[in-house]
Amino acid sequence: GRDSGKRINAENNWWGTVDVRQVQAEIWDYQNNGNNPSVDYIPYLDGPNGNPVPGNYVQGTIISNTTWSLANSPYIVIGNILVNNGVTLTVEAGVEIKFDGNYKMTINGALDAQGTAVEMIKFTSNKGTPAKGDWDQIYFGDYSDDSKCILKYAVIEYGKTVVNINTASPRIENSTIKNNLNSGISVYNGSPRIQNNTIQNNNTGLYF
């Protein structure tokens, strides 16, 4: 039966192509229907019995505490990401997260993304010539663990309503939120702490 909470290990297979978008098209999972399980198909091979195709691609449901490290940066987002309830995604200082399409990151657990003044974390477009609206949003909802959700010393750019807060209270500090199609930050029924940020060149900087 179908189980959206499961993950299927389909790593190290040859799918007839090295193009990640074509590999995606071969798989019908959570990205296509939220009731389906997530399929882990990365790394995939460059031929029959071949070698893993290089590139740090991320998508799907994160079901255990995970760290995205500077050593493995950049991370290329090739599908929607869901951080499960009770799970923390930690992003190290200096990491770049590049969205390769209209994808969003939903935080039902915690997002701990703390850069530094000299090594800021970047959430951005993966296009060679980025534009407003290249990707969707980071979404904090009612299931987010407010005490552990923080964006600090981060650059968040080229999305739509790029930080979307709905019945949640994350901290957003010392960050730059710019060049987004709709709102830089949207808040509905939440009490986030938004301090010491630069919010510019969005359609609306802060929307309630």
Side-chain angles (χ1 to χ4, degrees):
R2 294 183 175 181
D3 187 342
S4 60
K6 286 186 176 180
R7 297 181 74 95
I8 294 175
N9 188 331
E11 298 173 353
N12 296 303
N13 289 295
W14 163 239
W15 299 91
T17 178
V18 295
D19 186 324
V20 68
R21 295 174 186 84
Q22 292 182 33
V23 174
Q24 280 181 296
E26 295 288 331
I27 299 167
W28 188 269
D29 71 345
Y30 168 81
Q31 301 293 335
N32 308 98
N33 184 325
N35 293 320
N36 290 349
S38 291
V39 176
D40 291 330
Y41 58 89
I42 295 168
Y44 58 94
L45 303 182
D46 59 6
N49 301 311
N51 297 309
V53 174
N56 205 358
Y57 301 104
V58 290
Q59 57 93 37
T61 304
I62 298 175
I63 62 173
S64 60
N65 292 340
T66 299
T67 297
W68 289 354
S69 68
L70 180 59
N72 290 322
S73 180
Y75 290 82
I76 311 301
V77 179
I78 57 171
N80 292 322
I81 291 175
L82 171 65
V83 180
N84 260 3
N85 190 282
V87 172
T88 298
L89 171 61
T90 301
V91 182
E92 291 185 348
V95 166
E96 290 191 354
I97 300 164
K98 298 183 175 184
F99 289 78
D100 199 44
N102 185 36
Y103 305 124
K104 70 177 180 178
M105 180 181 288
T106 300
I107 311 301
N108 282 351
L111 174 63
D112 183 354
Q114 299 188 59
T116 68
V118 295
E119 286 189 309
M120 297 186 77
I121 294 167
K122 182 175 283 189
F123 296 84
T124 190
S125 168
N126 192 43
K127 291 187 177 179
T129 304
K132 294 180 178 182
D134 279 350
W135 60 284
D136 195 5
Q137 62 183 268
I138 302 170
Y139 178 82
F140 297 95
D142 192 31
Y143 292 105
S144 300
D145 186 341
D146 293 338
S147 66
K148 296 180 180 179
C149 286
I150 181 168
L151 291 164
K152 187 171 185 177
Y153 287 111
V155 177
I156 311 171
E157 60 186 3
Y158 299 118
K160 292 181 177 175
T161 297
V162 75
V163 179
N164 193 352
I165 300 167
N166 187 343
T167 320
S169 301
R171 289 184 290 155
I172 305 168
E173 303 172 354
N174 304 102
S175 294
T176 298
I177 301 168
K178 63 179 182 177
N179 298 329
N180 296 294
L181 183 64
N182 300 320
S183 301
I185 303 173
S186 176
V187 180
Y188 177 80
N189 280 349
S191 300
R193 188 166 76 182
I194 303 168
Q195 296 181 328
N196 300 314
N197 301 290
T198 298
I199 304 171
Q200 63 182 19
N201 199 27
N202 310 287
N203 186 51
T204 304
L206 182 59
Y207 180 83
F208 288 89

